[in-house]
Amino acid sequence: MKKNRKNLALLLLAASLLAGCAGQSNSQSSQSSQAKSEKKAESKASSKSAAKSAASSAVSSTKSSSSQASSKSAASSSQRADANRMGTLTSQLRVKLPGMLLPAADGLGQGSSNLNIRYTSSSSQNVVYYSVGNSPLALNDSRIASEKPYAVLTEKKNVADASSLINYQNPKTGLPAVKIASNVTGTEEGAAGSTYLQFNQGQWSFVVRASNVQGQKPLPTAQKLLSLYQQYGLPDTAAKSSVQVDVGESLGSLNTVITWAKGSSVYQLKAHSTETAFKMLKSLS
């Protein structure tokens, strides 16, 4: 009897142990299943997040490209508008001043949208004033007279002696030589508190004046002047013509003076910037 009870107790203990293992196994299985579910959820969330990020990046890239394209388009439109303003005013000038040579380019680096032009005309000469104002005004608007011109183009008509107006300088000898470029040499002389550096190219004489009082040197300006001449050239002329430049550029100074003859007329362009003057003359017609 005792032996049977002992066996029964062992059987019950074994059953209990088996049930515990089964429960643990089910618990582990449940935990594993739950972990798998969580991983799947995390994977889906990660995929959705990546998709959203990619979509957001694509939208941002599209907006950026659209913005850049819009900026380029606006800049291009502005440039066309600036060119059209010079073209429109020049076309009006050609009607008012028939036969006068006029530039098609304003020569400006900025401010073209507010370009203004006024002119005077008589039987002996035409004068055209180019300026930049606070707003674009109609050709010859009275308010333009108060603006400082950055360039002035003059045509003197029916000139009997062009040489007296052009002031061409023949090459000088007996003065200190100054090398301006590898193949261009000029001469230098001092007078009345200034230093004059001269060189000649073809039908043109070039003279640069520097103030000794202000400590100016003519050579850098002469080198720039030669470079601009080689890049842009100057108007065709059968007569000997001249370029005179005072060192230093400022609005309204008109320190660059270029004078030449065309037919029976003598033209002169004064400009506050030497480069502006060359750009304008390059487009002359």
Side-chain angles (χ1 to χ4, degrees):
M1 187 70 177
K2 289 181 179 180
K3 187 176 181 179
N4 288 338
R5 286 180 180 176
K6 186 176 182 181
N7 289 337
L8 179 60
L10 289 173
L11 288 172
L12 288 173
L13 180 59
S16 176
L17 289 172
L18 289 172
C21 289
Q24 185 177 2
S25 176
N26 289 336
S27 175
Q28 289 176 345
S29 176
S30 175
Q31 290 175 356
S32 176
S33 176
Q34 183 178 356
K36 288 180 179 179
S37 297
E38 289 176 353
K39 285 183 178 180
K40 285 183 178 179
E42 288 177 359
S43 179
K44 287 182 179 179
S46 178
S47 297
K48 287 182 179 179
S49 177
K52 286 183 179 179
S53 178
S56 175
S57 178
V59 170
S60 177
S61 177
T62 301
K63 287 182 178 179
S64 177
S65 298
S66 176
S67 176
Q68 289 176 357
S70 177
S71 297
K72 287 181 180 179
S73 176
S76 178
S77 297
S78 176
Q79 289 173 351
R80 286 196 297 271
D82 293 348
N84 288 341
R85 177 156 181 76
M86 180 63 175
T88 298
L89 292 173
T90 301
S91 294
Q92 295 172 5
L93 270 178
R94 292 192 190 283
V95 175
K96 302 293 184 180
L97 307 173
M100 181 178 181
L101 293 175
L102 295 168
D106 59 29
L108 295 170
Q110 58 183 5
S112 295
S113 58
N114 288 333
L115 169 71
N116 290 319
I117 298 177
R118 68 182 180 91
Y119 71 92
T120 61
S121 182
S122 68
S123 59
S124 61
Q125 71 174 17
N126 297 322
V127 185
V128 182
Y129 303 85
Y130 297 84
S131 60
V132 174
N134 294 321
S135 61
L137 300 173
L139 178 68
N140 246 26
D141 188 294
S142 60
R143 289 171 289 179
I144 302 175
S146 64
E147 298 174 355
K148 285 185 178 181
Y150 70 84
V152 179
L153 178 63
T154 301
E155 176 195 19
K156 292 188 179 293
K157 309 176 202 175
N158 304 313
V159 176
D161 182 14
S163 61
S164 63
L165 298 174
I166 293 175
N167 196 29
Y168 171 85
Q169 300 291 311
N170 287 308
K172 291 181 171 57
T173 58
L175 294 172
V178 177
K179 190 173 185 179
I180 300 171
S182 59
N183 59 343
V184 178
T185 300
T187 56
E188 187 175 86
E189 65 178 324
S194 298
T195 299
Y196 295 84
L197 177 54
Q198 177 186 332
F199 64 95
N200 293 62
Q201 295 284 286
Q203 292 285 83
W204 293 84
S205 68
F206 299 81
V207 177
V208 175
R209 185 187 75 85
S211 169
N212 297 335
V213 175
Q214 297 181 39
Q216 297 172 341
K217 302 296 181 182
L219 181 57
T221 299
Q223 290 172 329
K224 178 183 177 181
L225 180 56
L226 176 62
S227 177
L228 289 171
Y229 170 67
Q230 292 172 339
Q231 180 179 356
Y232 294 103
L234 284 168
D236 291 333
T237 175
K240 292 181 177 180
S241 304
S242 69
V243 179
Q244 296 173 293
V245 178
D246 283 356
V247 175
E249 297 180 354
S250 60
L251 182 61
S253 63
L254 304 180
N255 281 347
T256 294
V257 182
I258 301 174
T259 314
W260 74 101
K262 184 70 174 179
S264 61
S265 294
V266 171
Y267 285 87
Q268 184 177 84
L269 178 66
K270 294 182 178 181
H272 82 285
S273 161
T274 306
E275 185 168 3
T276 292
F278 274 85
K279 286 180 178 178
M280 293 179 76
L281 293 181
K282 177 70 174 178
S283 67
L284 203 67
S285 64

